[in-house]
Amino acid sequence: MDKPIFQHADVIAREISESVQKVDGTQIEELIKRIMRSESIFVAGGGRSGLMIRSFACG
């Protein structure tokens, strides 16, 4: 039995995996260092992105 939700989840997981493989780890490390040294950080987003931003801000 085909479950469309699982087909969509497979596509999403594959796209995330492909995107992560393109990230330069040294740039991420530098970003983390800069964030940790900062007194404040401004982020903005709407929809799902906004929800994720608020979860980090409150966490």
Side-chain angles (χ1 to χ4, degrees):
M1 176 185 247
D2 281 340
K3 302 267 188 193
I5 188 72
F6 295 119
Q7 293 171 348
H8 293 300
D10 286 341
V11 170
I12 292 167
R14 192 169 38 252
E15 290 176 356
I16 290 171
S17 177
E18 291 170 2
S19 295
V20 167
Q21 292 176 24
K22 295 176 183 178
V23 172
D24 181 351
T26 57
Q27 290 179 329
I28 298 298
E29 292 293 329
E30 181 61 29
L31 175 63
I32 292 169
K33 289 176 187 175
R34 289 177 182 220
I35 290 171
M36 297 302 290
R37 289 191 306 252
S38 298
E39 290 183 32
S40 62
I41 301 166
F42 175 80
V43 291
R48 288 179 287 183
S49 298
L51 289 173
M52 290 307 300
I53 290 168
R54 283 192 287 278
S55 72
F56 285 114
C58 296

